[in-house]
Amino acid sequence: MGRLSGKKALITAAGAGIGRASAEAFAREGAKVIATDISADALAGLNRTPNIETRVLDVTDPAAIAATVGAAKDLDILFNVAGWVHHGTIEDCGREDWDRSLLINLTSMYETSRAVLPNMLARSGGVILNMSSVASSVTGAPNRFAYGATKAGVIGLTKGIAADYAARGIRCNAICPGTVDTPSLQGRMSAQGDYETARNMFISRQPMGRLGTAEEIAHLAVYLASDEAAFTTGAIHIVDGGWTN
Ligand code: NAD
């Protein structure tokens, strides 16, 4: 018996990185997983994994969210993973980048949470997991102005949902990773011009001398989604290799 046997989970941005590792980990633990992503290419092949079905979903599209959640029926777990990093300070962040950060990182979670909650409440149970970051209200990080502001918003959204529905069987928690070695991080390191220098900068702030892996974040997500975490809600779960210690 897996730790998520009998549960149905929907994961956003499951085509790569932390979302993909989580989809695979949830499926290994016995959950039926609906792995969604904006990119059909990113999802290709994932539905060959037992217990995983895939579906294209752009988290900025409320109609598509409603349709996907409606088709999924009786979700026990929603894992909001999709996020976007704007690199820069407030001076670098024009209104378009600010709005995009809010839309992908925070408004998307408002939409998906509103879509799943009525059915979860009708069944008196459900878990919402939200991907935040230590770059949030946990700590300020250079050149992560809009990202940190929206990821702090994710923590507020998480705590609000947890407070409103704790007595009705809904748990809602936030995961705050440090720097995790994923395709998007590698892209950001390349975009800075000198990949090795950028990589060494990220590693230098890690007391363990290495970046995290997507699987290490997925292990925490499995725990928080499972009944083992039944007494845990409205909490910030930091997994950052000691960065903000
Ligand atoms: P990743 O780049 O490895 O994967 C991102 C996936 O998101 C891609 O498959 C992409 O197609 C998909 N995607 C992009 N826009 C989308 C949209 N509008 N709708 C649906 N899917 C979309 O990403 P990652 O590094 O694993 O990050 C995942 C989450 O974890 C993000 O919320 C990120 O902010 C957060 N996070 C990452 C790190 C890190 O260091 N990698 C640290 C802390 C928090």
Side-chain angles (χ1 to χ4, degrees), residues 80 82 105-113 130-131 154 157:
N80 285 311
N105 295 352
L106 188 55
T107 306
S108 66
M109 298 193 188
Y110 156 85
E111 295 285 1
T112 53
S113 300
N130 295 325
M131 184 58 71
V154 170
L157 174 140

Side-chain angles (χ1 to χ4, degrees), residues 11 13 16-23 79 81 131 177 180 182-183 213-215 217-218:
I11 305 179
I18 297 169
R20 190 179 187 101
S22 299
F79 188 12
V81 180
M131 184 58 71
V180 183
T182 64
T213 67
E215 288 71 26
I217 314 304

